[in-house]
Amino acid sequence: MIAAATRYQRASDVDHALELLGEPDAKAIAGGQSLIPVMKLRIARPSVVVDISRLELCGVEEREGALHIGPLTTWAELAATDPPAGLDAIPECAREIGDVQVRNLGTIGGSIVHADPASDMPAVLLALGASLEIRSTDGSRDVALADVFLGPFTTALGGQELVTDVVVPLPAPGSGSAYASVEHPASGFALVGAAALVGPAGETVALTGVAATPFVLDGDPQNAIAAAEIFGDRFASEEYRRDLASVVAERALASARERSDA
Amino acid sequence: MSEIIGVARPRVDAPDKVTGATQFAADGYVHGLLHARPVLATEAHARIRGVEKQEALAVPGVVAVLVASDLPVATAGTDRTSEPLAREEVVFAGQPVALVVAETEAAAEDGAELVVVDYESLAAVVDVEAAMEVGAPLARSVEEADDEAGDLESIHAGVDHGQEDDPGEELSGNVLDRITRERGDLAAAFASSDAVVEGTFRTPWVYQAYLEPQVCTAWLEPSGTLVVSTSTQGAFVTRREIARAFDLPLERVRVIAEPLGGAFGGKFALIEPLAVGPALALKRPVRLVLTRGEDFQSTNPASAQVTHMKVGARKDGTFTAIEARMIVDRGSNAGWGVEGTTSALAPGPYRWEAHDIRGYGVQTNRFTFGAYRAPGAPTAAYALESLLDELAEQLDLDPIEMRLRNAFVEGDIGMGGNPFPPFGAVDVLERLRDHPLWSKRDSLPSDEGVGMAAGFWPGGLEPAAAVCRVDSDGTMTVVTTAADMSGVNTGFAAIAAAAFGLAPDDVRVVTADTSFGPYSGGSGGSKVTYTVGAAVLRAAEAAREKVLAAAAQELEIAPDDLEVVDGVVRAKGAPDRSVTVKEIAQKALRFGGRYEPVEGHGGSAQTSSAPSIAAHLSHVRVDRETGEVELLHHVIAQDVGRALNPALVEGQMRGGAAQGMGWALYEELAHDEDGRLLTGSFLDYAIPTAERVPEIETLIVEVPAPDGPFGAKGIGEAPVVGAPAAVANAVAAAIGKRLYELPMTPPRVWKALRS
Amino acid sequence: MSDTVSVVVNGEPRSLEVEGRTLLVHALRDGLGLTGTHIGCDTSQCGACTVLLDGRAVKSCTVLAHQAEDREITTIEGLAANGELHPLQRAFVEHHGLQCGFCTPGVILTAADLLSRDASPSDETIRHALRGNLCRCTGYQGIVESIRAAGGTS
């Protein structure tokens, strides 16, 4: 219930944050809604908590053919956003994450770097072909989100790196997107979540909650689900989740198709 | 009087609760307080070879690391009071093994992380049916040494244990108790039936999930009195247990029952020794506030149960025979189990021509079982009410009409051999039968279903006393020692106001501690309003006699010709001849006063219980693709005797029904095959949320209890009993298949649909 | 090991003496004696610890005290003004929105956040907003009715 002893530092800007994150076992904290729970369980034991929550990395802006979402944008802010055409899945998903209190503090960036294999928004971002702008002391790099998730709670980010932008390309005109999920009744995390993007170029579906990381389905969704490596547990077996994935993917597609011009 | 009883007044404690002023047990400031953190066993069955304390003791702020031998416990038993920390043998994963005591909670937690316990693993007994077989490894190697395990069973429901052992059945030493209840010719009754159905029903361990984790603070006063400030349902029970275990005279133990943040049966003399022991050993105040994870692992949830049941009926719907074999997983509770109550309640509120019910209390390497709202009843009702629906289907009878045909009425002989007092079974069933939801059950969309079920609770009995004292401002203070778990204080205020003749706003209720408060039993068993309320009524009447005697002198009118209304004593028929209660009090409560203080003491010792029955309608929609069950609507009709305060009664009805929905669809404490708890937090154990509980329509039925205050009964437990069964029957109606295991999680419903 | 964090609590400037790891809920309860904020779980789900941070409902068990520096916190003790109950508090009393009362402060503060954004929420909206507030006693209906009444659409 009480975290292991740690120090607290507040970053004044991104460079300062990167400097502070140079200490071994330093951890950045934004909204804290992912980090603090694991600190309380003493699974995470940072030497210093680097508070980046007051940096100017929030806000949602459309420019250069993409929606740029500041990593410190809270779920509440995202849920209240009027999205550009075809990006309905973003506020739709944000509205259902956690609860009111979590949404008031939890950030999109914090969730991405926490990389819980059952979190919802990564599926949406994957289906939408999002990428991240990542800053380190060496400069900036852009990484496709699909290359960021390496495993449960593991990302391609180094210890001294920060996400500075979440970039979602604007879909082609006439596109529609949607998110559907079945939740675990206790945790609220996705037993299976599916995000779909439907447009003139085709249909993309991404799943979360069923594997080591969220992932995009290759080719026909139903075939891909039948072949995918899906895990099960005591509550929900592999057989059940596979079938559920099929159902939820279909529901997300149906909703996305309805929103598109297809 | 009619404007007080039956009025939905706000709770007397509401203003303090909505402003955060209420001091719960973890809230009070105590000078010099130390904080305890338990170290819980990680093995389900093991011998303790040693406990490494050194690293923990080195943490700044840690004052002590205590094991069983460090606590001054005087008794040798294996109950949680006598053995708050495991001595040599760990019998469930989560059992407290050591206590780290420190100046701050953080230091205590830092220290607890560093305590290393060396275990020698023993075979863990986790399958309750396998545990019964001769030759099965024993869940506990050490013999139960102490018969004085304290009488914790009777505080929930005094039920006899039927006949003695049936020597015909050879069972292992894990079977701690066997109950046999037989009457009539079972074979003949089955033979005369036109329909016989049977099934095996499984229910899991279920957690009370009170929002306030268990907490206790203990300290020694300079005079040597041990003060125990605790979140408890039973101050006197706790005092008795602590005095027994630590060999202290009763008058040296003072138990203060703090406001309860929910309990539902789980807070009866369980964790106090874990604060008392260190307080006595270290001679400093010690507080133990369990974390939620510790509360999940180490407290006392409700037993898992396997019920094999077979029932028969004739084609006119008359119930003939019921046979049941009910296996109760007691976990590591050697002292008592619900096999007594579940077997007594298996036949439900119905007449049968013959019954043969056997209950088995089996020990396994799991939690110490504890009581949870109507212990043993929801599990019995799930089996019975599911099978009754199958009978109705086979016989092509309306499920409610069939139950009406057999429902107990006043005078019928119940399981205990006594005639039933006035009982609202017929009334509540008729209210459901006439409800529009029931009439439209066959014309619903194909994924929806409506189910019904009934469940009752016999109602507990325990003598009680109360004091009503009028103060010099003419208001009244009611004193009891009953822990206010369900809002009883608001009921007491209304009873006292109505019986004496004051406005309810002029009555306050205080909960005294064991050192000077009038006796009451634990708050549980659905008996507080019935028994303590009756004592309050008599106390108020006794005080009223005093004020009448004084007023008679003042007014020179005979007491019989006076009445007390809204704080004024006046002549019947001539209200201008009057004196206020306040004036009398002021004349009494002063130097040289001429009247006795206006105080009354009342006691009660009812011998006839007041059973309450609730019947439910559940309306569900099943998503056949995902297996999710959505609760659309719920109706509960309950016989409450007399609704002293309809809003509080409805609150109990809704709360109980909602807990039943949790039993039905969401709640399960699951272990791995080594007996370790897998679902030890609200991340895994789902209690119903506001989104998942539907609107609950309440129908209050009043069949007055002859011995209850203004006819009221205890009503806290009946509302949960039939709720899981009603939801199960609704799901069966929706999908055409029955589930024989709770909870009916989406994967299980999905699987049933495809089998 | 102790740091000083300045916050505004219930309209008054206060100083919290905390460690890096100290949670806001502990700073409020143990540091300032504001025990109306309760601890009901350890996985950030039950909502009994809910307070308002700059007017928004948050779980104080999932906020480091340090993070609240220079921010405005409202606890349940700060809702009533000039001895008058807040409309939500009055509604919970009059419409029977509580039983044991342990979840109540958190529920009321979440409701305050909701009503500040949506003055007349539907029952469905209310129930959705209460997802992060667990109650074991009431079955939620009294809570929903109280919030509805406070919102003025009863």
Side-chain angles (χ1 to χ4, degrees), chain A residues 116-256:
Chain A
D116 188 316
S119 37
D120 303 283
M121 191 59 81
V124 171
L125 296 173
L126 284 173
L128 297 175
S131 61
L132 303 180
E133 182 190 86
I134 298 173
R135 276 276 301 274
S136 70
T137 48
D138 294 329
S140 258
R141 62 190 178 108
D142 293 314
V143 184
L145 190 64
D147 296 329
V148 168
F149 298 118
L150 301 180
F153 308 99
T154 318
T155 66
L157 269 81
Q160 213 174 352
E161 290 193 298
L162 275 184
V163 175
T164 46
D165 198 4
V166 179
V167 185
V168 182
L170 296 181
S175 298
S177 65
Y179 182 70
S181 74
V182 171
E183 291 178 352
H184 187 291
S187 66
F189 277 97
L191 278 179
V192 181
L197 172 65
V198 167
E203 301 184 334
T204 310
V205 177
L207 293 183
T208 183
V210 294
T213 70
F215 61 101
V216 177
L217 294 175
D218 206 3
D220 173 72
Q222 298 306 332
N223 290 340
I225 287 168
E229 221 180 278
I230 288 187
F231 82 96
D233 62 16
R234 219 207 108 262
F235 179 77
S237 67
E238 179 199 316
E239 195 197 347
Y240 172 72
R241 269 183 222 257
R242 196 177 299 274
D243 193 68
L244 205 60
S246 198
V247 168
V248 175
E250 226 10 83
R251 290 182 183 181
L253 276 169
S255 182

Side-chain angles (χ1 to χ4, degrees), chain B residues 571-583:
Chain B
K572 292 179 188 171
D576 48 296
R577 296 191 61 197
S578 67
V579 62
T580 66
V581 170
K582 180 174 173 180
E583 284 168 328

Side-chain angles (χ1 to χ4, degrees), chain B residues 10-11 17-18 23 26-27 110 207-209 211 292-293 372 651-652 655 667 682-683 688 690-691 693 696, chain C residues 21 29 35 38-42 45 76 85 89 93 96 98-100 102 127-128 131 136-137 139-141:
Chain B
R11 291 176 68 107
K17 287 181 174 173
V18 298
Q23 292 266 289
D27 297 344
D110 291 340
Y207 177 45
Q208 300 92 339
L211 250 290
R292 179 57 65 180
Y372 175 31
Q652 290 298 304
E667 298 185 39
F682 288 135
L683 281 173
E691 286 178 302
V693 178
I696 303 171
Chain C
R21 60 172 159 175
R29 286 177 54 83
T35 55
H38 300 141
I39 296 174
C41 78
D42 48 18
Q45 286 169 281
I76 190 69
L85 289 181
Q89 291 170 315
V93 171
H96 316 287
L98 64 135
Q99 289 181 29
C100 82
F102 198 77
R127 287 177 182 270
H128 184 62
R131 178 191 269 228
R136 193 51 156 171
C137 296
Y140 300 101
Q141 194 149 331

